[in-house]
């Protein structure tokens, strides 16, 4: 037992006072008896005996009364089990990712967690609140009430490593208590391994009752007809035993198509046919799972002709003129001697068609062209300088040519998952008439092949680039060296190459993806493009590049939807943004990762535990109660004991 004011215990010496008073009252006197009161002697002896008992009882109660009063003022207490951490700072980490939309026993997981915080957090408790997107340092429940009530779901997935890094960086002279409230969807082992606080955090893992969820993954143009687009839609089902799902397509908020989808497999593809016009709307489903992935917004720009030029001998470019028809393309071929360099920046796609030598000036121009979002195709010649080719390709990625090999090879493998072949084939083709080449270059590439030879070496490879498409052939495709021009693969391949990164397809960007976006517009130096939606607007990071503007959106916008790009009040084009679908699979919960940490069912349990373990047991009140009891006992003795 400890005392808050131990110096008051010196007053215990006052206990000698009632003892001295008691002894003074016990002094002996000489008694003289008279003859007329002798008969009372026996009665007096009995009275003196009862008086001694009463005085001793009074002495004991007074001593105990005084002792209790002195001890009460000294304020005794028993030290708490965890008193050394009583001054710890509290940090509450609240996961507000979209997976917290799942419904538990008492409603949506996030809303229920917020309600428990508001109801059970002590008003005098100081804490810091961290979510996926916002931080509230050194606050209390009254000050943070409004922020909690208005907390929205975040497009950013729950990143425990990043949040714990913020907590570590927050300087403090005290230790830290951390409470992490998350459904553990997508929680990774590396996130747990990065937790190296002296005290292990508490985990509250609310559980979803409904694990079934249907998500719209992507929308694309499956087929372009003369007057129509065939829109392909990919759906994913997570869970078991799905009921039919209603799917609808809206353009400018007007319903234009609707169907019912039955899930006989986890992945489902459906299609709608729409007029070949500009589109600015969304596809939506109705299910009982998460709501954030039930809509996918997308735009289709007005069909504009794509500018394509090929550089090389005219007789080797005849096949390109048959692919790039005047209805969809502005196609021209130039020899290296007649090329107008000033026209290159206006192109969407440039094809280097079997050039023996690529001038340094052209290489410099092509490097700038690709950096501004242009597509480049490199088809080598048997007489191409290897060092010259490698010098060009070194500007764009890790693709290098080796020696020319003169052995014949068949082209036998198609990468159906590559973007250049997305939506081209309804089914994977295993048997087709294999085209061949008589000679080809050995090549080293760190990128996946689009088409491969029978020996698994690449025939066509594409450099991965956020802003442009760089496609490299490893063999000449003239009619002398190859029959690839007669293969049915050549048309979709070159068509998709020319359209790569262009706005003639579906426009559906992912929030937070940070992929640069190019707008075909000529701006003055002081002009600024603004992105506007129905409810909010923002100004993205932008860079003027001649007749284009490069936009970088970072983590904007915060809300998915259909937006427009404006130069002041003048509309430029439509653009659409969607949330990342990483939170759609509610079966990603791995509670085993937090098994080594302290866990609790509710926030009130944690606060009660900390209160119990870190609060000293104050027992001075009991001594006050005992003092009152002894005072009452003394009064009773005086009144009733004779």
């Amino acid at each position: 037992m400890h005392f808050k004011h131990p110096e008051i215990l010196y007053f215990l010496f006052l206990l000698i006072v009632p003892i001295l008073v008691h002894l003074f009252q016990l002094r002996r006197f000489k008694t003289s008896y008279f003859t007329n009161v002798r008969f009372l002697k026996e009665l007096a002896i009995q009275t003196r005996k009862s008086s001694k008992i009463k005085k001793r009882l009074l002495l004991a109660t007074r001593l105990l009364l005084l002792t209790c009063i002195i001890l009460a003022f000294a304020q005794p207490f028993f030290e708490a089990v965890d008193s050394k951490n009583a001054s710890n700072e509290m940090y509450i980490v609240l996961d507000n990712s979209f997976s917290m939309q799942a419904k538990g026993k008492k409603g949506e997981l996030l809303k229920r967690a917020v309600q428990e915080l508001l109801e059970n957090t002590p008003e005098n408790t100081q804490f810091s609140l961290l979510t996926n997107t916002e931080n509230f340092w050194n606050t209390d429940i009254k000050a943070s009430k409004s922020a909690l009530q208005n907390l929205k779901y975040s497009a950013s997935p729950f990143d425990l490593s990043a949040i714990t890094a913020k907590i570590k960086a927050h300087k403090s002279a005290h230790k830290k208590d951390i409470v992490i409230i998350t459904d553990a969807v997508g929680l990774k082992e590396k996130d747990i391994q990065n937790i190296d606080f002296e005290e292990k955090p508490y985990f509250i893992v609310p559980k979803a009752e409904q694990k079934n969820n249907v998500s719209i993954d992507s929308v694309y143009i499956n087929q372009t007809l003369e007057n129509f687009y065939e829109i392909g839609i990919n759906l994913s089902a997570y869970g078991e035993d799905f009921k039919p799902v209603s799917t609808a397509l809206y353009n400018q908020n007007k319903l234009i198509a609707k169907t019912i989808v039955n899930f006989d497999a986890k992945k489902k593809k459906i299609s709608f046919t729409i007029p070949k016009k500009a589109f600015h709307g969304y596809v939506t489903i109705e299910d009982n799972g998460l709501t954030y992935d039930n809509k996918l917004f997308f735009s289709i720009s007005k069909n504009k002709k794509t500018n394509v030029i090929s550089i090389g001998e005219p007789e080797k470019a005849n096949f390109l003129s048959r692919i790039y028809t005047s209805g969809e393309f502005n196609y021209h071929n130039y020899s290296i001697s007649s090329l107008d360099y000033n026209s290159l920046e206006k192109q969407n796609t440039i094809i280097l068609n079997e050039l023996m030598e690529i001038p340094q000036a052209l290489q410099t121009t092509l490097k700038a062209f690709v950096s501004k979002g242009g597509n480049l195709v490199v088809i080598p010649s048997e007489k191409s300088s290897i060092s010259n080719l490698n010098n060009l390709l070194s500007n764009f990625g890790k693709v290098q040519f080796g020696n020319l090999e003169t052995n014949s090879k068949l082209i036998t493998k198609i990468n159906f998952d590559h973007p250049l072949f997305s939506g081209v084939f309804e089914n994977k083709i295993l048997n087709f008439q294999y085209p061949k080449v008589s000679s080809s270059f050995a090549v080293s590439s760190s990128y996946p092949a689009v088409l491969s030879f029978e020996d698994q070496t690449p025939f066509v490879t594409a450099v991965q680039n956020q802003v442009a498409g760089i496609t490299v052939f490893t063999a000449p495709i003239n009619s002398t060296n190859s029959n690839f021009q007669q293969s049915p693969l050549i048309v979709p391949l070159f068509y998709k190459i020319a359209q790569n990164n262009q706005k003639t397809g579906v426009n559906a960007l992912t929030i937070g993806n940070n992929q640069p976006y190019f707008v075909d517009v000529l701006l003055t130096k002081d002009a600024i493009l603004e992105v506007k939606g129905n409810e909010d607007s923002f100004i993205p990071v932008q860079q003027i590049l001649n007749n284009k503007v490069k936009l970088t959106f970072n983590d904007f916008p915060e809300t998915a939807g259909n937006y427009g790009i404006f130069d002041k009040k003048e509309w430029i084009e439509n653009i659409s943004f969607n949330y990342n679908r990483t939170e759609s699979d509610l079966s990603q919960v791995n509670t085993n990762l937090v098994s080594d940490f302290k866990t609790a069912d509710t926030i009130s349990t944690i606060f009660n535990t900390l209160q119990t373990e870190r609060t000293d047991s104050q027992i001075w009140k009991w001594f006050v109660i005992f003092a009152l009891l002894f005072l009452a006992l003394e009064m009773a003795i005086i009144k009733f004991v004779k």
Side-chain angles (χ1 to χ4, degrees), residues 3 13 24 78 113 138 143 174 179 189 233-234 239 265 311 379 425 494 504-505 516 518 536 559 625:
F3 294 91
F13 288 110
F24 179 79
F78 290 108
N138 302 322
H174 304 283
V179 180
E189 188 173 355
I233 301 169
N234 289 335
I311 306 172
I379 305 173
F425 302 97
F494 274 89
T504 52
F518 292 87
D536 56 350
T559 306
I625 293 172

Side-chain angles (χ1 to χ4, degrees), residues 1 3 8-16 18-19 59-76 620 622-624 626-628 630-631:
M1 187 169 66
F3 294 91
I8 294 180
L9 295 178
Y10 287 110
F11 285 96
L12 289 174
F13 288 110
L14 294 177
L15 292 176
I16 198 172
I19 295 175
L59 175 63
T61 54
R62 287 166 180 168
L63 288 174
L64 291 172
L65 170 63
L66 186 58
T67 300
C68 288
I69 292 173
I70 294 171
L71 290 176
F73 277 100
Q75 294 190 22
W620 63 270
W622 287 102
F623 286 98
V624 173
F626 287 138
L628 294 174
F630 287 127
L631 178 61

Side-chain angles (χ1 to χ4, degrees), residues 132 140 207 218 275 341 393 401 475 496 522 564 604:
N132 296 21
D140 56 45
K207 296 180 180 179
S218 60
Y341 280 44
L393 294 175
F401 276 77
K496 294 282 285 188
L522 186 61
S604 60

Side-chain angles (χ1 to χ4, degrees), residues 348-453:
N348 300 120
T349 300
I350 298 175
I351 302 172
L352 302 182
N353 189 18
E354 302 191 24
L355 297 179
M356 288 186 289
E357 192 78 18
I358 305 171
Q360 185 60 46
L362 179 57
Q363 292 189 32
T364 303
T365 304
L366 291 175
K367 182 179 179 181
F369 170 76
V370 170
S371 68
K372 297 174 183 178
N375 300 320
L376 177 64
V377 182
V378 179
I379 305 173
S381 168
E382 297 98 324
K383 299 179 181 180
S384 292
S385 168
I386 295 175
S387 60
N388 182 254
L389 277 174
N390 289 337
N391 187 47
L392 170 69
L393 294 175
S394 63
N395 295 315
F396 310 121
K398 297 179 180 180
V399 178
Q400 292 289 284
F401 276 77
N403 295 326
L404 180 67
E405 300 174 351
T406 56
N407 54 313
S408 180
K409 293 182 181 180
L410 293 177
I411 303 166
T412 60
K413 186 177 179 181
I414 304 172
N415 186 352
F416 294 99
D417 296 326
H418 197 277
L420 289 177
F421 281 125
S422 64
V424 173
F425 302 97
E426 292 185 1
N427 299 303
K428 292 186 177 181
I429 301 172
L430 300 177
N431 296 316
F432 62 97
Q433 189 174 2
Y434 301 134
K436 66 178 181 179
V437 299
S438 299
S439 61
S440 61
F441 288 91
V443 68
S444 63
S445 171
S446 58
Y447 308 103
V450 181
L451 292 172
S452 301
F453 292 118

Side-chain angles (χ1 to χ4, degrees), residues 138-154:
N138 302 322
T139 184
D140 56 45
I141 198 61
K142 283 186 177 180
S144 59
K145 182 178 180 180
S146 177
L148 281 169
Q149 289 176 333
N150 297 317
L151 184 63
K152 297 179 180 179
Y153 291 100
S154 167

Side-chain angles (χ1 to χ4, degrees), residues 71-190:
L71 290 176
F73 277 100
Q75 294 190 22
F77 64 91
F78 290 108
E79 190 174 10
V81 177
D82 193 23
S83 59
K84 63 180 181 179
N85 291 320
S87 60
N88 284 12
E89 291 184 345
M90 172 71 74
Y91 294 82
I92 299 175
V93 178
L94 180 58
D95 178 5
N96 64 325
S97 59
F98 281 115
S99 61
M100 293 287 282
Q101 280 184 342
K103 294 178 176 61
K105 292 182 178 179
K106 298 181 180 179
E108 292 185 15
L109 300 183
L110 178 62
K111 292 182 179 179
R112 185 57 194 165
V114 168
Q115 190 63 30
E116 288 187 357
L117 283 172
L118 294 174
E119 291 177 353
N120 299 306
T121 304
E123 291 186 358
N124 59 346
T125 299
Q126 291 284 320
F127 62 90
S128 295
L129 175 67
L130 293 88
T131 69
N132 296 21
T133 52
E134 297 180 275
N135 305 318
F136 304 93
W137 302 102
N138 302 322
T139 184
D140 56 45
I141 198 61
K142 283 186 177 180
S144 59
K145 182 178 180 180
S146 177
L148 281 169
Q149 289 176 333
N150 297 317
L151 184 63
K152 297 179 180 179
Y153 291 100
S154 167
S156 304
F158 183 60
D159 189 347
L160 184 57
S161 296
I163 295 176
T164 52
K166 290 180 184 178
I167 296 175
K168 291 176 186 177
H170 195 249
K171 301 298 182 182
S172 172
H174 304 283
K175 294 180 181 179
K176 300 173 180 179
D177 291 322
I178 303 173
V179 180
I180 301 171
I181 306 173
T182 175
D183 58 359
V185 170
L187 193 65
K188 300 178 180 63
E189 188 173 355
K190 67 175 183 179

Side-chain angles (χ1 to χ4, degrees), residues 214-223 229-236 244-250 257-274 282-286 294 296 298 423 426:
V214 178
S215 167
I216 305 176
D217 293 336
S218 60
V219 176
Y220 55 92
I221 296 179
N222 190 40
Q223 188 176 5
Y229 289 125
E230 185 182 281
I231 301 296
I233 301 169
N234 289 335
L235 304 175
S236 293
V245 174
S246 174
T247 307
L249 186 65
Y250 289 82
K258 194 169 186 178
T259 188
I260 299 295
V261 180
N262 293 299
F263 281 93
D264 49 6
K266 297 292 184 182
K267 300 288 184 179
K268 195 74 175 179
K269 295 181 180 179
I270 62 172
S271 61
F272 291 107
T273 301
I274 62 174
Y282 57 90
V283 59
T284 180
I285 60 174
E286 295 180 5
N294 287 354
L296 194 145
F298 68 99
E426 292 185 1

